[in-house]
Amino acid sequence: MNDFSAMSQQSLELLQRLVRNAAVNDGTPDSGQELTSVRTLQAFLRDALEQPGVVSEVVEPHAGRASLIARIPGRDPNARSLCLLGHIDVVPADAEHWQHDPFGGELIDDEVWGRGTIDMLTLTAAMATVFRHAADPRHRPAGDLVLAAVADEEAGGKYGAEWISEHRPDLLHADEALTEQGGVLLRPESATSGITVGVGEKGQAARRLLITGVPGHGSVPWGSRNAAGIAAEIVLELLRNPAPPVVQPHWASLVHALQLDADLTERLLDPARLDGALPALGPLAPLGHALTRVTVSPNILRAGDKHNVIPGTATIDLDIRVLPGQTPEDVDGLLERLLKPWADCVRITGDQFSPGNITPTDTPMYARILDVFRRHYPDAVPASVIGPGGSDGRFLRPTGTNVYGFGLFSKQIDVAEFRRRLHGNDERVDVESVRLTTTALAEVIFGQR
Ligand SMILES: [Zn+2]
């Protein structure tokens, strides 16, 4: 057994243990309890953390919300440093809707079952395994190698990457970083399939709409200015009138990598015809929609608190996501235009804004990732994609770190299947994907053998 296949087996076993730890983050401060998985990783890495020069630290900004950050000094202080950024928390799972225990980490028919196997414990386990190997003085890479196994990604990183980047940026400092969401084939049946490399993500702008109606007695509704009714009209308006599409380079990269017929490709790259062409993408249509515009999702509605009173006020909380380069003015302009018919009774509140972010692709690390991908899928075509949601990468990109979404999945998990399992029921990963992810990561760090 060579080093890389031994590492794949170690990743697999570590993955099972991380799934069983059930670090479930439901967004409340006391959930997650990632300290359990930090302890698992410390035990797994015990010898590595004691090697000369290796430093490690556990931060715990809230009881149990722990992250482990460790650094191996490189052989050459001038070589570029790399941070392996993996989260250890997972989203909740409702066992009733699963075929197998979501926290069993069972190996069934060559698949590891459980919450987090796709998002993102497989990659986190591979990162820890490869880091352990790199700590051996015989295997040291040229540049510093950082392992950041962090809490709270699934609720925005307040107790994880966000906290660390604000309070201890020294720990994460690196020229390059690898994190989740890459290495997925778009069309596994084709030898020239596209394969994803994450290069960025959309940003967020949360807004709340305050709606003012006229309260009254619920027994006489006719002609009333019911705030719940106004809210309902607004919700439908927002869902039925998406923002007009914008074609950015990441979208063009994805469309080309999909290798569709010439006519469909042309329509998908033409803002005037894009929306009409989206349904032809089938299960990828919602993703295509999200990657080409500001999206507005009315997710929380509140109105009324008494059975016999017509509500005089209502609120709608909007989850708004912006593309890299889009601004708060873009968001406010869109909302003002859509809400014009209700201008006399709706007020837009909130100014939260975190911009979308993107990493360039003309870098040695990007080229290295593609080389490694092509070793496993020789004719695959790169698709440099952005994520519609956020990941911890957004805390590192603004500091100048080149962050790429990595991983390497087998032909069993195409991009539609990947998205189905992400936060979905029956999340699981095949053993081949664990092997590919571990091997590819080792190849990025140690070179190919
Ligand atoms: Zn994730």
Side-chain angles (χ1 to χ4, degrees):
M1 202 190 277
N2 69 23
D3 285 353
F4 288 5
S5 55
M7 278 193 265
S8 296
Q9 185 59 33
Q10 293 156 11
S11 272
L12 183 75
E13 288 165 19
L14 179 58
L15 167 65
Q16 290 177 290
R17 271 179 272 156
L18 293 174
V19 170
R20 289 172 192 145
N21 285 348
V24 176
N25 181 355
D26 64 12
T28 60
D30 293 327
S31 69
Q33 294 299 306
E34 294 88 345
L35 184 58
T36 312
S37 286
V38 164
R39 296 286 181 238
T40 299
L41 290 170
Q42 283 178 311
F44 177 82
L45 294 169
R46 196 179 56 225
D47 292 345
L49 298 181
E50 283 169 7
Q51 291 288 346
V54 177
V55 289
S56 73
E57 195 165 327
V58 174
V59 299
E60 193 178 350
H62 181 90
R65 307 306 302 271
S67 301
L68 170 70
I69 307 100
R71 182 180 291 259
I72 299 168
R75 289 178 278 110
D76 172 2
N78 297 316
R80 290 178 74 76
S81 49
L82 173 64
C83 174
L84 305 176
L85 179 61
H87 66 81
I88 46 178
D89 60 323
V90 299
V91 294
D94 183 354
E96 215 178 293
H97 301 291
W98 284 56
Q99 294 181 57
H100 299 286
D101 180 359
F103 302 105
E106 295 166 276
L107 183 59
I108 300 163
D109 297 335
D110 272 338
E111 290 179 309
V112 179
W113 280 69
R115 178 56 88 217
T117 48
I118 293 291
D119 180 11
M120 67 169 280
L121 300 179
T122 293
L123 183 54
T124 302
M127 287 170 168
T129 303
V130 170
F131 182 89
R132 180 164 85 167
H133 190 78
D136 184 322
R138 291 167 302 173
H139 305 143
R140 294 274 165 104
D144 280 11
L145 185 67
V146 179
L147 173 69
V150 300
D152 201 29
E153 191 276 341
E154 296 292 359
K158 189 176 164 200
Y159 302 117
E162 182 177 34
W163 189 91
I164 302 166
S165 63
E166 267 174 27
H167 298 270
R168 293 296 308 279
D170 56 301
L171 292 177
L172 296 177
H173 180 77
D175 297 306
E176 258 103 29
L178 299 179
T179 188
E180 60 191 324
Q181 299 207 11
V184 184
L185 293 167
L186 300 176
R187 296 177 60 196
E189 69 283 3
S190 157
T192 59
S193 170
I195 188 163
T196 59
V197 186
V199 296
E201 57 197 53
K202 291 183 77 178
Q204 292 195 48
R207 294 289 181 272
R208 172 170 288 175
L209 305 181
L210 301 180
I211 293 148
T212 309
V214 180
H217 200 291
S219 63
V220 189
W222 194 79
S224 69
R225 293 274 292 160
N226 183 322
I230 300 169
E233 287 174 9
I234 290 172
V235 164
L236 290 176
E237 175 75 11
L238 294 175
L239 290 174
R240 286 171 183 160
N241 292 290
V246 181
V247 170
Q248 294 189 335
H250 60 83
W251 172 244
S253 167
L254 178 59
V255 169
H256 286 300
L258 282 168
Q259 297 162 36
L260 308 159
D261 68 64
D263 174 63
L264 182 55
T265 299
E266 210 176 283
R267 284 189 290 139
L268 286 167
L269 297 178
D270 175 0
R273 293 185 291 163
L274 194 157
D275 281 350
L278 276 179
L281 290 179
L284 291 181
L287 183 65
H289 181 270
L291 295 182
T292 51
R293 75 202 69 221
V294 183
T295 54
V296 179
S297 191
N299 291 352
I300 303 177
L301 279 76
R302 291 195 182 86
D305 49 18
K306 194 162 187 305
H307 165 77
N308 60 354
V309 178
I310 291 170
T313 59
T315 62
I316 306 173
D317 289 359
L318 303 176
D319 179 358
I320 300 174
R321 308 287 176 136
V322 296
L323 292 166
Q326 291 180 322
T327 64
E329 289 71 36
D330 290 325
V331 171
D332 296 331
L334 174 70
L335 289 180
E336 275 161 30
R337 184 168 59 74
L338 290 171
L339 297 173
K340 206 163 190 177
W342 297 277
D344 61 330
C345 59
V346 177
R347 201 152 57 82
I348 303 164
T349 67
D351 58 3
Q352 185 264 336
F353 190 81
S354 55
N357 56 78
I358 202 150
T359 294
T361 54
D362 57 345
T363 67
M365 177 54 82
Y366 187 82
R368 198 142 117 208
I369 291 168
L370 292 192
D371 277 352
V372 168
F373 283 1
R374 288 200 176 117
R375 197 174 148 87
H376 301 276
Y377 297 115
D379 299 313
V381 178
S384 50
V385 296
I386 67 166
S391 83
D392 282 338
R394 73 183 181 281
F395 301 114
L396 292 188
R397 286 197 182 93
T399 67
T401 303
N402 290 328
V403 185
Y404 296 105
F406 189 74
L408 191 59
F409 290 86
S410 76
K411 293 182 177 184
Q412 287 187 39
I413 303 179
D414 66 9
V415 73
E417 183 61 24
F418 183 91
R419 297 209 66 83
R420 256 193 298 279
R421 294 185 192 182
L422 192 79
H423 298 193
N425 294 330
D426 290 341
E427 186 178 353
R428 62 198 186 279
V429 69
D430 56 306
V431 170
E432 176 65 2
S433 292
V434 177
R435 187 191 71 78
L436 283 167
T437 293
T438 308
T439 305
L441 187 62
E443 286 168 347
V444 166
I445 290 162
F446 305 114
Q448 303 176 350
R449 37 185 105 159

